[in-house]
Amino acid sequence: ALTSGSALVTLKPTTNATAIQVGTGATDAAGVLGLDNTELAAITSTGGLTIGSATNTGGITVVGAASAAGVTGGTLTLQSNSGNIAVNDTLTGAVNTTLTTASGNITFDPNGAVSAAGKTVTLTATAGNIEGDAAAFTNVTASTLNATGSSGIGNINAIETVVSTLAFANTTNKVQVTNTLAGGVTVSGTTTTN
């Protein structure tokens, strides 16, 4: 078990090019840091949890259901530099949850979701895109979704949400977000070109 009190917990590989797997089924291997759900559940912190770093180039994949339920304060963050963040299963946060990549993309596969009920989810692909999938599956559940992309947010397949507030910023290509929350959604955002 890892208990940090109010300090931020950061888990990152010693080599920037190492890929990171998160969730049930994640395993350590040559070139891979695996953080399975049992390991995530053993972390207790009111200061937040960051997986990855601003220099990580190996990318992050949510390979199975992942929940850091013991992180009850701060922010749950998945962070990469040029690596992609692939959400292939459900990442559940009890706190505000952020996925950020400087020049990679954020993708959701047919089972990919970020769930932070009553909290804020922030998806940032500063020089990349955020892409949904063709399946009818909720990708984001939260009170607020903040989405920032450079080359599209749901450009080919919409990001499917259950949120009450959506804020977005995007430079090129489409912004497509669907929402199924009863009562609708408050939307604000900018896009430079369509």
Side-chain angles (χ1 to χ4, degrees):
L2 173 68
T3 302
S4 74
S6 61
L8 172 67
V9 175
T10 301
L11 303 175
K12 63 181 183 176
T14 56
T15 304
N16 288 331
T18 298
I20 301 171
Q21 292 184 351
V22 178
T24 302
T27 55
D28 293 321
V32 178
L33 170 64
L35 301 169
D36 69 29
N37 205 41
T38 301
E39 293 167 319
L40 294 176
I43 299 168
T44 303
S45 173
T46 60
L49 170 63
T50 296
I51 298 171
S53 72
T55 57
N56 173 264
T57 58
I60 302 171
T61 303
V62 179
V63 296
S67 174
V71 178
T72 56
T75 302
L76 171 60
T77 302
L78 303 187
Q79 184 177 30
S80 185
N81 181 349
S82 59
N84 295 327
I85 299 176
V87 185
N88 296 344
D89 210 308
T90 300
L91 172 67
T92 303
V95 295
N96 294 339
T97 301
T98 297
L99 280 63
T100 183
T101 176
S103 59
N105 302 316
I106 299 172
T107 59
F108 291 87
D109 89 344
N111 299 307
V114 177
S115 179
K119 304 296 182 182
T120 297
V121 169
T122 301
L123 305 176
T124 304
T126 305
N129 64 64
I130 304 167
E131 194 59 55
D133 62 87
F137 189 79
T138 300
N139 302 126
V140 177
T141 301
S143 176
T144 299
L145 170 60
N146 298 318
T148 302
S150 175
S151 54
I153 300 171
N155 180 51
I156 297 170
N157 294 300
I159 306 298
E160 299 170 64
T161 68
V162 179
V163 299
S164 57
T165 303
L166 166 66
F168 69 89
N170 181 59
T171 305
T172 62
N173 296 324
K174 297 177 191 172
V175 174
Q176 297 186 95
V177 179
T178 64
N179 190 60
T180 57
L181 181 71
V185 61
T186 301
V187 178
S188 63
T190 59
T191 186
T192 305
T193 61
N194 256 341

